[in-house]
Coordinates of all heavy atoms in Angstrom, one line a residue:
M1 N -4.7 -12.5 20.8 CA -4.7 -11.2 20.2 C -6.1 -10.5 20.5 O -7.1 -11.2 20.2 CB -4.4 -11.4 18.7 CG -4.5 -10.1 18.0 SD -4.1 -10.3 16.2 CE -2.4 -10.2 16.2
T2 N -6.1 -9.4 20.9 CA -7.3 -8.7 21.2 C -7.9 -8.1 19.9 O -7.3 -8.1 18.9 CB -7.1 -7.5 22.1 OG1 -6.3 -6.5 21.5 CG2 -6.5 -7.9 23.4
E3 N -9.2 -7.7 19.9 CA -9.9 -7.3 18.7 C -9.2 -6.0 18.2 O -9.1 -5.9 17.0 CB -11.3 -7.0 19.1 CG -12.2 -6.7 17.9 CD -13.7 -6.6 18.2 OE1 -14.1 -7.4 19.1 OE2 -14.3 -5.8 17.6
T4 N -8.8 -5.1 19.1 CA -8.3 -3.9 18.6 C -6.9 -4.1 17.9 O -6.7 -3.6 16.8 CB -8.1 -2.9 19.8 OG1 -9.3 -2.7 20.5 CG2 -7.5 -1.6 19.3
S5 N -6.0 -4.9 18.5 CA -4.7 -5.2 17.9 C -4.9 -5.9 16.5 O -4.2 -5.7 15.7 CB -3.8 -5.9 18.8 OG -4.4 -7.2 19.1
H6 N -6.0 -6.8 16.5 CA -6.1 -7.5 15.2 C -6.6 -6.6 14.1 O -6.2 -6.6 13.0 CB -7.2 -8.7 15.4 CG -7.6 -9.4 14.1 ND1 -6.7 -10.2 13.5 CD2 -8.7 -9.3 13.4 CE1 -7.3 -10.6 12.4 NE2 -8.5 -10.1 12.3
S7 N -7.4 -5.7 14.5 CA -7.9 -4.6 13.6 C -6.7 -3.7 13.2 O -6.6 -3.4 12.0 CB -9.0 -3.8 14.2 OG -9.4 -2.8 13.3
D8 N -5.9 -3.3 14.0 CA -4.7 -2.5 13.7 C -3.8 -3.2 12.8 O -3.3 -2.6 11.8 CB -3.9 -2.1 15.0 CG -4.7 -1.0 15.8 OD1 -5.6 -0.4 15.3 OD2 -4.3 -0.9 17.0
A9 N -3.6 -4.5 13.0 CA -2.8 -5.3 12.1 C -3.4 -5.3 10.7 O -2.6 -5.3 9.7 CB -2.5 -6.7 12.7
M10 N -4.6 -5.5 10.6 CA -5.2 -5.7 9.3 C -5.3 -4.3 8.6 O -5.1 -4.3 7.3 CB -6.7 -6.2 9.4 CG -6.8 -7.7 9.7 SD -8.5 -8.1 9.7 CE -9.0 -7.7 8.1
W11 N -5.6 -3.3 9.2 CA -5.8 -1.9 8.5 C -4.6 -1.0 8.6 O -4.7 0.1 8.1 CB -7.1 -1.3 9.1 CG -8.2 -2.2 8.8 CD1 -9.0 -2.8 9.8 CD2 -8.9 -2.4 7.6 NE1 -9.9 -3.5 9.2 CE2 -10.0 -3.2 7.8 CE3 -8.7 -2.0 6.3 CZ2 -10.8 -3.7 6.8 CZ3 -9.5 -2.4 5.3 CH2 -10.5 -3.3 5.6
G12 N -3.5 -1.5 9.1 CA -2.4 -0.6 9.1 C -2.5 0.6 10.0 O -2.5 1.8 9.6
G13 N -2.8 0.4 11.3 CA -3.0 1.4 12.3 C -2.0 2.5 12.4 O -2.2 3.5 13.0
G14 N -0.8 2.3 11.9 CA 0.2 3.3 12.0 C 1.4 3.0 11.3 O 1.6 1.9 10.8
S15 N 2.4 3.8 11.4 CA 3.6 3.6 10.6 C 4.4 2.4 11.2 O 4.6 2.2 12.4 CB 4.6 4.8 10.7 OG 5.7 4.7 10.1
G16 N 4.9 1.5 10.3 CA 5.7 0.4 10.7 C 4.8 -0.8 11.2 O 5.4 -1.8 11.4
R17 N 3.6 -0.7 11.2 CA 2.8 -1.9 11.6 C 2.5 -2.8 10.4 O 2.5 -2.3 9.2 CB 1.4 -1.4 12.2 CG 1.6 -0.7 13.5 CD 0.2 -0.4 14.1 NE 0.4 0.4 15.4 CZ -0.6 0.6 16.1 NH1 -1.8 0.4 15.7 NH2 -0.3 1.3 17.2
A18 N 2.0 -4.0 10.7 CA 1.7 -5.0 9.6 C 0.5 -4.3 9.0 O -0.5 -3.8 9.5 CB 1.3 -6.3 10.2
G19 N 0.5 -4.5 7.6 CA -0.7 -4.0 6.8 C -0.5 -2.5 6.3 O -1.4 -2.0 5.7
E20 N 0.7 -2.0 6.6 CA 0.9 -0.6 6.2 C 1.6 -0.6 4.9 O 2.7 -1.0 4.8 CB 1.8 0.1 7.3 CG 2.1 1.5 7.0 CD 0.9 2.4 7.2 OE1 0.0 2.2 8.0 OE2 0.8 3.5 6.4
F21 N 0.9 0.0 3.9 CA 1.5 -0.1 2.5 C 1.7 1.4 1.9 O 2.1 1.6 0.9 CB 0.7 -0.9 1.5 CG 0.5 -2.3 1.9 CD1 -0.6 -2.8 2.5 CD2 1.6 -3.2 1.7 CE1 -0.7 -4.2 2.8 CE2 1.5 -4.5 2.0 CZ 0.4 -5.0 2.6
A22 N 1.3 2.4 2.8 CA 1.3 3.8 2.3 C 2.8 4.3 2.2 O 3.6 3.8 2.9 CB 0.5 4.6 3.3
S23 N 3.0 5.2 1.3 CA 4.2 5.8 1.1 C 4.2 7.2 1.8 O 3.1 7.7 2.2 CB 4.6 6.1 -0.4 OG 4.7 4.8 -1.0
T24 N 5.3 7.8 1.9 CA 5.4 9.1 2.6 C 4.8 10.3 1.8 O 4.3 11.3 2.3 CB 6.8 9.6 3.0 OG1 7.6 9.5 1.8 CG2 7.3 8.6 4.0
S25 N 4.7 10.1 0.4 CA 4.1 11.1 -0.4 C 3.4 10.4 -1.6 O 3.8 9.3 -2.0 CB 5.1 12.1 -0.9 OG 6.0 11.5 -1.9
L26 N 2.5 11.1 -2.2 CA 1.8 10.6 -3.4 C 2.7 10.4 -4.5 O 2.7 9.4 -5.3 CB 0.6 11.5 -3.7 CG -0.3 10.9 -4.9 CD1 -0.9 9.6 -4.6 CD2 -1.3 12.0 -5.3
S27 N 3.6 11.4 -4.8 CA 4.5 11.3 -6.0 C 5.5 10.1 -5.8 O 5.7 9.4 -6.7 CB 5.3 12.6 -6.1 OG 6.0 12.9 -4.9
R28 N 5.9 9.9 -4.6 CA 6.8 8.7 -4.3 C 6.1 7.4 -4.6 O 6.7 6.5 -5.2 CB 7.3 8.7 -2.9 CG 8.3 7.7 -2.6 CD 8.9 7.8 -1.2 NE 9.8 8.9 -1.3 CZ 10.6 9.4 -0.3 NH1 10.4 8.8 0.9 NH2 11.4 10.4 -0.4
H29 N 4.8 7.4 -4.1 CA 4.1 6.2 -4.4 C 3.8 5.9 -5.9 O 3.8 4.7 -6.3 CB 2.7 6.2 -3.6 CG 2.0 4.9 -3.5 ND1 2.4 4.0 -2.5 CD2 1.1 4.3 -4.1 CE1 1.6 2.9 -2.5 NE2 0.8 3.1 -3.6
V30 N 3.5 6.9 -6.6 CA 3.2 6.8 -8.1 C 4.5 6.4 -8.8 O 4.5 5.5 -9.7 CB 2.7 8.1 -8.7 CG1 2.6 8.0 -10.2 CG2 1.2 8.3 -8.1
V31 N 5.7 6.9 -8.4 CA 6.9 6.5 -9.0 C 7.3 5.0 -8.7 O 7.6 4.2 -9.6 CB 8.1 7.4 -8.5 CG1 9.4 6.8 -8.8 CG2 8.0 8.8 -9.0
R32 N 7.0 4.6 -7.5 CA 7.1 3.1 -7.2 C 6.3 2.3 -7.9 O 6.6 1.2 -8.5 CB 6.8 2.9 -5.6 CG 8.0 3.1 -4.7 CD 7.6 2.6 -3.3 NE 6.8 1.4 -3.3 CZ 5.6 1.5 -2.8 NH1 5.1 2.6 -2.2 NH2 4.9 0.4 -2.7
G33 N 5.0 2.8 -8.2 CA 4.1 2.0 -9.1 C 4.5 2.0 -10.5 O 4.5 0.9 -11.1
A34 N 5.1 3.0 -11.0 CA 5.6 3.0 -12.4 C 6.7 2.1 -12.6 O 6.9 1.3 -13.5 CB 6.0 4.5 -12.8
I35 N 7.7 2.1 -11.6 CA 8.8 1.2 -11.6 C 8.4 -0.2 -11.5 O 8.8 -1.1 -12.3 CB 9.8 1.5 -10.5 CG1 10.5 2.9 -10.8 CG2 10.8 0.4 -10.4 CD1 11.3 3.4 -9.7
G36 N 7.5 -0.5 -10.5 CA 7.0 -1.9 -10.3 C 6.2 -2.4 -11.5 O 6.5 -3.5 -12.0
F37 N 5.2 -1.7 -12.0 CA 4.4 -2.2 -13.1 C 5.2 -2.3 -14.4 O 5.1 -3.2 -15.2 CB 3.2 -1.3 -13.3 CG 2.1 -1.6 -12.4 CD1 1.8 -0.6 -11.5 CD2 1.4 -2.8 -12.3 CE1 0.7 -0.8 -10.5 CE2 0.4 -3.0 -11.4 CZ 0.1 -2.0 -10.5
G38 N 6.2 -1.3 -14.6 CA 7.0 -1.4 -15.7 C 8.0 -2.6 -15.7 O 8.2 -3.3 -16.7
A39 N 8.5 -2.9 -14.6 CA 9.4 -4.1 -14.4 C 8.6 -5.4 -14.6 O 9.1 -6.3 -15.3 CB 10.1 -4.0 -13.1
V40 N 7.4 -5.5 -14.1 CA 6.6 -6.7 -14.2 C 6.2 -6.8 -15.7 O 6.4 -8.0 -16.2 CB 5.4 -6.6 -13.2 CG1 4.4 -7.8 -13.6 CG2 5.8 -6.8 -11.9
I41 N 5.7 -5.8 -16.3 CA 5.3 -5.9 -17.7 C 6.5 -6.2 -18.6 O 6.5 -7.0 -19.5 CB 4.5 -4.6 -18.1 CG1 3.2 -4.6 -17.4 CG2 4.3 -4.6 -19.6 CD1 2.5 -3.2 -17.5
G42 N 7.6 -5.5 -18.3 CA 8.8 -5.6 -19.1 C 9.4 -7.1 -18.9 O 9.9 -7.6 -20.0
S43 N 9.3 -7.7 -17.8 CA 9.8 -9.1 -17.7 C 9.1 -10.0 -18.6 O 9.6 -11.0 -19.1 CB 9.7 -9.5 -16.3 OG 8.3 -9.8 -15.8
V44 N 7.7 -9.8 -18.8 CA 7.0 -10.7 -19.8 C 7.2 -10.2 -21.2 O 7.3 -11.0 -22.1 CB 5.5 -10.6 -19.4 CG1 4.7 -11.4 -20.3 CG2 5.3 -11.1 -17.9
A45 N 7.1 -8.9 -21.5 CA 7.2 -8.4 -22.8 C 8.6 -8.6 -23.5 O 8.7 -8.8 -24.7 CB 6.9 -6.9 -22.8
L46 N 9.7 -8.6 -22.6 CA 11.0 -8.8 -23.2 C 11.4 -10.3 -23.3 O 12.5 -10.6 -23.7 CB 12.1 -8.1 -22.3 CG 11.9 -6.6 -22.3 CD1 12.9 -6.0 -21.3 CD2 12.2 -6.1 -23.8
M47 N 10.5 -11.2 -22.9 CA 10.8 -12.7 -23.0 C 11.2 -13.2 -24.4 O 12.2 -13.9 -24.5 CB 9.6 -13.4 -22.5 CG 9.8 -14.9 -22.4 SD 11.0 -15.3 -21.1 CE 9.8 -15.9 -19.9
P48 N 10.5 -12.7 -25.5 CA 10.9 -13.1 -26.8 C 12.3 -12.6 -27.2 O 13.1 -13.3 -27.9 CB 9.9 -12.5 -27.7 CG 8.7 -12.2 -26.9 CD 9.2 -11.9 -25.6
A49 N 12.7 -11.4 -26.8 CA 14.0 -10.9 -27.2 C 15.1 -11.4 -26.2 O 16.3 -11.7 -26.7 CB 14.0 -9.3 -27.1
L50 N 14.9 -11.4 -25.0 CA 16.0 -11.8 -24.0 C 15.9 -13.2 -23.4 O 16.8 -13.6 -22.7 CB 16.0 -10.8 -22.8 CG 16.2 -9.4 -23.2 CD1 16.1 -8.4 -21.9 CD2 17.6 -9.2 -23.9
G51 N 14.8 -13.9 -23.7 CA 14.6 -15.2 -23.1 C 14.4 -15.2 -21.6 O 13.9 -14.1 -21.1
P52 N 14.7 -16.2 -20.9 CA 14.5 -16.3 -19.4 C 15.2 -15.2 -18.6 O 14.8 -14.9 -17.5 CB 15.0 -17.7 -19.1 CG 15.1 -18.4 -20.3 CD 15.3 -17.4 -21.4
V53 N 16.2 -14.6 -19.2 CA 17.0 -13.5 -18.5 C 16.0 -12.3 -18.2 O 16.2 -11.7 -17.1 CB 18.2 -13.0 -19.3 CG1 18.9 -11.9 -18.7 CG2 19.1 -14.2 -19.6
S54 N 15.1 -12.1 -19.0 CA 14.1 -11.0 -18.7 C 13.3 -11.2 -17.4 O 12.8 -10.2 -16.9 CB 13.1 -10.9 -19.9 OG 12.3 -11.9 -20.0
L55 N 13.2 -12.5 -16.9 CA 12.5 -12.7 -15.7 C 13.2 -12.2 -14.5 O 12.6 -12.1 -13.4 CB 12.2 -14.2 -15.6 CG 11.3 -14.9 -16.6 CD1 11.1 -16.3 -16.4 CD2 9.9 -14.2 -16.5
L56 N 14.4 -11.7 -14.7 CA 15.1 -11.1 -13.6 C 14.5 -9.8 -13.1 O 14.7 -9.3 -12.1 CB 16.6 -10.9 -13.9 CG 17.5 -12.2 -14.1 CD1 18.8 -11.8 -14.6 CD2 17.5 -12.9 -12.8
L57 N 13.7 -9.2 -14.1 CA 13.0 -7.9 -13.8 C 11.8 -8.2 -12.8 O 11.3 -7.3 -12.1 CB 12.5 -7.3 -15.0 CG 13.5 -6.6 -16.0 CD1 12.9 -6.2 -17.2 CD2 14.2 -5.5 -15.2
L58 N 11.3 -9.4 -12.9 CA 10.1 -9.7 -12.0 C 10.3 -9.4 -10.5 O 9.5 -8.8 -9.9 CB 9.7 -11.2 -12.2 CG 8.3 -11.6 -11.7 CD1 7.3 -10.7 -12.3 CD2 8.1 -13.0 -12.0
P59 N 11.4 -9.9 -9.9 CA 11.5 -9.6 -8.4 C 11.7 -8.0 -8.2 O 11.2 -7.6 -7.2 CB 12.8 -10.4 -8.1 CG 13.1 -11.4 -9.1 CD 12.4 -10.8 -10.4
V60 N 12.3 -7.3 -9.1 CA 12.4 -5.9 -9.0 C 11.1 -5.3 -8.9 O 10.8 -4.4 -8.1 CB 13.3 -5.3 -10.1 CG1 13.3 -3.8 -10.1 CG2 14.7 -5.9 -10.1
G61 N 10.2 -5.7 -9.8 CA 8.8 -5.2 -9.9 C 8.1 -5.5 -8.6 O 7.4 -4.7 -8.1
L62 N 8.2 -6.7 -8.1 CA 7.5 -7.1 -6.9 C 7.9 -6.4 -5.7 O 7.2 -6.0 -4.8 CB 7.5 -8.6 -6.7 CG 6.8 -9.4 -7.8 CD1 7.0 -10.9 -7.5 CD2 5.3 -9.1 -7.9
V63 N 9.3 -6.1 -5.6 CA 9.8 -5.3 -4.5 C 9.2 -3.9 -4.6 O 8.8 -3.3 -3.5 CB 11.3 -5.4 -4.4 CG1 11.9 -4.4 -3.5 CG2 11.8 -6.8 -4.1
A64 N 9.2 -3.3 -5.8 CA 8.8 -2.0 -5.9 C 7.2 -1.9 -5.5 O 6.8 -0.9 -5.0 CB 9.0 -1.4 -7.3
L65 N 6.5 -2.9 -5.8 CA 5.1 -2.9 -5.6 C 4.8 -3.4 -4.2 O 3.6 -3.4 -3.8 CB 4.4 -3.8 -6.6 CG 4.4 -3.4 -8.0 CD1 3.7 -4.4 -8.9 CD2 3.6 -2.0 -8.2
R66 N 5.8 -3.7 -3.4 CA 5.7 -4.2 -2.0 C 4.9 -5.5 -2.0 O 4.1 -5.7 -1.1 CB 5.1 -3.2 -1.1 CG 6.1 -2.0 -0.8 CD 5.5 -1.2 0.2 NE 6.5 0.0 0.3 CZ 6.2 1.1 0.9 NH1 5.0 1.3 1.5 NH2 7.2 2.0 1.0
G67 N 5.2 -6.4 -2.9 CA 4.5 -7.7 -2.9 C 3.7 -8.0 -4.1 O 3.8 -9.1 -4.7
C68 N 2.7 -7.1 -4.4 CA 1.8 -7.5 -5.5 C 1.1 -6.2 -5.9 O 1.1 -5.2 -5.2 CB 0.7 -8.5 -5.0 SG -0.3 -7.9 -3.7
P69 N 0.4 -6.2 -7.1 CA -0.2 -5.0 -7.5 C -1.4 -4.6 -6.6 O -1.6 -3.4 -6.4 CB -0.8 -5.4 -8.9 CG 0.1 -6.5 -9.4 CD 0.5 -7.2 -8.1
T70 N -2.0 -5.6 -5.9 CA -3.1 -5.3 -5.0 C -2.5 -4.5 -3.8 O -3.1 -3.5 -3.3 CB -3.8 -6.6 -4.5 OG1 -4.3 -7.2 -5.6 CG2 -5.0 -6.2 -3.6
C71 N -1.3 -4.9 -3.3 CA -0.7 -4.2 -2.2 C -0.4 -2.8 -2.5 O -0.5 -1.9 -1.7 CB 0.6 -4.9 -1.8 SG 0.4 -6.6 -1.2
W72 N 0.1 -2.6 -3.8 CA 0.3 -1.2 -4.3 C -0.9 -0.4 -4.2 O -0.9 0.8 -3.8 CB 1.0 -1.3 -5.6 CG 1.3 0.1 -6.1 CD1 2.4 0.9 -5.8 CD2 0.5 1.0 -7.0 NE1 2.4 2.1 -6.4 CE2 1.2 2.2 -7.1 CE3 -0.7 0.8 -7.5 CZ2 0.6 3.2 -7.9 CZ3 -1.3 1.8 -8.3 CH2 -0.6 3.0 -8.5
A73 N -2.0 -1.0 -4.7 CA -3.3 -0.2 -4.8 C -3.8 0.1 -3.4 O -4.3 1.2 -3.2 CB -4.4 -1.1 -5.5
I74 N -3.6 -0.8 -2.5 CA -4.1 -0.5 -1.1 C -3.2 0.6 -0.5 O -3.7 1.5 0.2 CB -3.9 -1.8 -0.2 CG1 -5.0 -2.8 -0.6 CG2 -4.1 -1.5 1.3 CD1 -4.8 -4.2 0.0
G75 N -1.9 0.5 -0.8 CA -1.0 1.6 -0.4 C -1.4 3.0 -1.0 O -1.2 4.0 -0.4
L76 N -1.9 3.0 -2.2 CA -2.3 4.2 -2.9 C -3.5 4.8 -2.1 O -3.5 6.0 -1.9 CB -2.6 4.0 -4.4 CG -3.2 5.2 -5.1 CD1 -2.1 6.2 -5.2 CD2 -3.6 4.8 -6.5
L77 N -4.4 4.0 -1.8 CA -5.6 4.4 -1.0 C -5.2 4.9 0.4 O -5.7 5.9 0.8 CB -6.7 3.3 -0.9 CG -7.3 2.9 -2.2 CD1 -8.2 1.7 -2.1 CD2 -8.0 4.1 -2.8
Q78 N -4.3 4.2 1.0 CA -3.8 4.6 2.3 C -3.0 5.9 2.2 O -3.2 6.8 3.1 CB -2.9 3.6 2.9 CG -3.6 2.4 3.4 CD -2.7 1.3 4.0 OE1 -1.5 1.3 3.8 NE2 -3.2 0.3 4.7
T79 N -2.3 6.2 1.2 CA -1.5 7.4 1.0 C -2.5 8.5 0.8 O -2.3 9.6 1.3 CB -0.5 7.3 -0.2 OG1 0.4 6.2 0.1 CG2 0.2 8.5 -0.4
L80 N -3.5 8.3 0.0 CA -4.5 9.4 -0.3 C -5.3 9.7 0.9 O -5.7 10.9 1.1 CB -5.4 8.9 -1.5 CG -4.8 8.9 -2.9 CD1 -5.7 8.3 -3.8 CD2 -4.4 10.2 -3.3
S81 N -5.6 8.7 1.7 CA -6.5 9.1 2.9 C -5.7 9.4 4.1 O -6.3 9.8 5.2 CB -7.4 7.8 3.2 OG -6.7 6.8 3.7
R82 N -4.4 9.3 4.1 CA -3.6 9.6 5.3 C -3.8 11.0 5.7 O -3.8 11.9 5.0 CB -2.1 9.4 5.0 CG -1.3 9.8 6.2 CD 0.1 9.3 6.1 NE 0.1 7.8 6.3 CZ 1.1 7.0 6.1 NH1 2.1 7.4 5.4 NH2 1.0 5.7 6.4
G83 N -4.3 11.1 7.0 CA -4.5 12.5 7.6 C -6.0 13.0 7.3 O -6.3 13.9 7.9
R84 N -6.7 12.3 6.5 CA -8.1 12.7 6.2 C -9.1 11.8 6.9 O -10.2 12.3 7.2 CB -8.3 12.7 4.7 CG -7.5 13.7 4.0 CD -7.8 13.6 2.5 NE -6.8 14.4 1.8 CZ -6.4 14.2 0.5 NH1 -7.0 13.3 -0.1 NH2 -5.5 14.9 0.0
L85 N -8.7 10.6 7.1 CA -9.6 9.7 7.8 C -8.9 9.1 9.0 O -7.8 8.9 9.0 CB -10.0 8.5 6.9 CG -10.8 8.7 5.6 CD1 -10.9 7.5 4.8 CD2 -12.2 9.3 6.0
Q86 N -9.7 9.0 10.1 CA -9.2 8.4 11.3 C -10.2 7.4 11.8 O -11.4 7.5 11.6 CB -9.0 9.4 12.3 CG -7.7 10.2 12.3 CD -7.5 11.1 13.5 OE1 -8.5 11.6 13.9 NE2 -6.3 11.1 14.0
R87 N -9.7 6.3 12.4 CA -10.6 5.3 13.0 C -10.8 5.8 14.4 O -10.0 6.0 15.2 CB -10.0 3.9 12.9 CG -10.9 2.9 13.4 CD -10.4 1.5 13.3 NE -9.2 1.5 14.2 CZ -8.1 0.9 13.8 NH1 -8.0 0.2 12.7 NH2 -7.0 0.8 14.6
S88 N -12.1 5.8 14.8 CA -12.5 6.1 16.1 C -13.2 4.9 16.8 O -14.3 4.5 16.2 CB -13.4 7.4 16.1 OG -13.9 7.7 17.4
C89 N -12.7 4.5 17.9 CA -13.4 3.3 18.5 C -13.9 3.7 19.9 O -13.2 4.2 20.7 CB -12.3 2.2 18.7 SG -11.7 1.6 17.2
T90 N -15.1 3.4 20.2 CA -15.8 3.7 21.4 C -16.7 2.5 21.7 O -17.5 2.1 20.9 CB -16.6 5.0 21.5 OG1 -17.5 5.0 20.3 CG2 -15.7 6.2 21.3
D91 N -16.7 2.1 23.0 CA -17.6 1.0 23.4 C -17.5 -0.3 22.5 O -18.5 -0.9 22.2 CB -19.0 1.5 23.6 CG -19.2 2.6 24.5 OD1 -18.4 2.6 25.5 OD2 -20.0 3.4 24.4
G92 N -16.3 -0.6 22.0 CA -16.2 -1.8 21.2 C -16.6 -1.6 19.7 O -16.6 -2.6 19.0
T93 N -17.1 -0.5 19.3 CA -17.5 -0.2 18.0 C -16.6 0.8 17.3 O -16.3 1.9 17.9 CB -19.0 0.3 18.0 OG1 -19.8 -0.6 18.7 CG2 -19.4 0.5 16.5
C94 N -16.0 0.5 16.2 CA -15.2 1.4 15.4 C -15.9 2.0 14.2 O -16.6 1.3 13.5 CB -13.9 0.7 15.0 SG -12.9 0.1 16.5
Q95 N -15.5 3.2 13.9 CA -16.0 3.7 12.6 C -15.0 4.7 12.1 O -14.1 5.2 12.8 CB -17.3 4.5 12.9 CG -17.3 5.7 13.9 CD -18.6 6.2 14.2 OE1 -19.6 5.9 13.4 NE2 -18.7 7.1 15.1
L96 N -15.1 5.0 10.8 CA -14.1 6.0 10.2 C -14.7 7.4 10.3 O -15.9 7.6 10.0 CB -13.9 5.7 8.7 CG -13.0 4.5 8.4 CD1 -12.9 4.2 6.9 CD2 -11.6 4.7 9.0
V97 N -14.0 8.4 10.7 CA -14.4 9.7 10.8 C -13.4 10.6 10.1 O -12.2 10.3 9.9 CB -14.5 10.2 12.3 CG1 -15.6 9.4 13.0 CG2 -13.2 10.1 13.0
T98 N -13.9 11.7 9.5 CA -13.0 12.6 8.7 C -12.5 13.7 9.7 O -13.3 14.1 10.6 CB -13.8 13.3 7.6 OG1 -14.9 14.0 8.1 CG2 -14.2 12.2 6.5
T99 N -11.3 14.0 9.5 CA -10.7 15.1 10.3 C -11.0 16.5 9.6 O -11.1 16.5 8.4 CB -9.2 14.9 10.5 OG1 -8.6 14.9 9.2 CG2 -8.9 13.7 11.2
K100 N -11.2 17.4 10.3 CA -11.5 18.8 9.9 C -10.4 19.4 9.1 O -10.5 20.0 8.0 CB -12.0 19.7 10.9 CG -13.3 19.2 11.5 CD -13.7 20.2 12.6 CE -15.1 20.0 13.1 NZ -15.6 19.0 13.7
S101 N -9.2 19.3 9.6 CA -8.0 20.1 9.1 C -7.3 19.2 8.1 O -6.4 19.7 7.3 CB -7.1 20.5 10.1 OG -6.5 19.3 10.8
G102 N -7.5 17.9 8.0 CA -6.8 17.0 7.2 C -5.4 16.7 7.7 O -4.6 16.0 7.1
A103 N -5.1 17.1 9.0 CA -3.9 16.7 9.6 C -4.1 15.7 10.6 O -5.1 15.6 11.2 CB -3.2 18.0 10.3
T104 N -3.0 14.9 10.9 CA -3.1 13.9 11.9 C -3.0 14.3 13.3 O -2.3 15.3 13.6 CB -2.2 12.7 11.7 OG1 -0.9 13.2 11.6 CG2 -2.6 12.0 10.4

């Protein structure tokens, strides 16, 4: 694996690549977070009332969060920065640069 492809895999260099957790819109991402965190918290909070059946909410929450709360937070940052930051690589050195128009 080359250095560039490893970096792309880690930082989500584009749509559909490994490491891409961003949503298409901020509102969609926040709704996913509300569903995910609500289901995870609900699975634990409802344990006294529903018993182990409440743990069925846990996989729903993890799917909505795309794996874990950290993955959701990374996706939030990616969604916010999408179109505003670009990685520019020259001579083997990469850096983040801001775009003037905010468009990709």
Side-chain angles (χ1 to χ4, degrees):
M1 179 180 271
T2 65
E3 186 174 327
T4 303
S5 63
H6 177 69
S7 179
D8 285 345
M10 282 183 59
W11 298 107
S15 180
R17 293 186 182 181
E20 181 72 29
F21 297 107
S23 296
T24 55
S25 71
L26 182 61
S27 59
R28 182 174 288 181
H29 196 82
V30 171
V31 167
R32 271 191 33 248
I35 291 169
F37 285 113
V40 169
I41 291 169
S43 71
V44 175
L46 293 173
M47 186 70 101
L50 299 177
V53 175
S54 69
L55 293 178
L56 292 174
L57 288 173
L58 192 58
V60 173
L62 294 178
V63 168
L65 294 174
R66 292 187 183 164
C68 64
T70 303
C71 299
W72 180 85
I74 291 169
L76 178 63
L77 294 175
Q78 287 178 345
T79 302
L80 290 172
S81 70
R82 179 167 279 166
R84 295 182 192 151
L85 294 174
Q86 279 186 319
R87 185 180 59 219
S88 174
C89 296
T90 53
D91 298 328
T93 304
C94 296
Q95 61 183 349
L96 287 177
V97 295
T98 57
T99 58
K100 291 181 171 61
S101 65
T104 55

